[in-house]
Amino acid sequence: MHDEDRGWRTFEARIPLTFYVPGGVAVGIVEEVLRGEYESGYTGERLTVLDIGANIGAFSLWAAHRWPGCTINAYEPNPATFALLERSTRSYQMIHCHNAAVYPSGNPDEAFF
């Protein structure tokens, strides 16, 4: 039996979110993420979500609403962009922002340029 045969329906949730978007960032990219560009169909409870290269936090905020109760670790190495990430996500206790790059290395501290 298909999902549509069970009476399942899809609704688009419009969640008001505030972003601090600098002039150089494409607003269309934020809109695509919030429309579910990264939807995987995965469900679960108490998930740990990694947002690597978090930019200003569009995916982190989307994930916070997509998977309630999850913990999100958002990594953004650029100091100026990191400040926007923190500003956009500050009211979400489940989002933990890290001003760092993620790179597979055996060194405990890796220089980032």
Side-chain angles (χ1 to χ4, degrees):
M1 181 181 282
H2 297 296
D3 284 345
E4 56 269 10
D5 296 333
R6 292 186 188 133
W8 291 74
R9 297 188 316 180
T10 302
F11 296 93
E12 182 176 332
R14 299 200 183 271
I15 303 163
L17 299 173
T18 301
F19 280 93
Y20 302 95
V21 182
V25 174
V27 175
I29 293 171
V30 172
E31 291 172 347
E32 286 177 11
V33 171
L34 295 178
R35 279 195 301 265
E37 176 183 17
Y38 295 107
E39 175 59 63
S40 64
Y42 184 80
T43 58
E45 296 179 14
R46 297 190 322 245
L47 301 173
T48 298
V49 177
L50 302 178
D51 187 357
I52 300 173
N55 202 289
I56 62 172
F59 176 76
S60 291
L61 291 172
W62 177 82
H65 290 274
R66 171 62 177 88
W67 296 292
C70 70
T71 299
I72 301 162
N73 287 292
Y75 297 88
E76 175 52 50
N78 182 293
T81 307
F82 180 75
L84 295 171
L85 169 65
E86 283 190 309
R87 189 173 178 187
S88 294
T89 62
R90 70 175 138 206
S91 63
Y92 290 80
Q93 298 299 314
M94 76 287 290
I95 301 175
H96 306 282
C97 299
H98 306 275
N99 188 201
V102 176
Y103 179 79
S105 172
N107 297 330
D109 295 306
E110 190 75 41
F112 179 77
F113 300 96

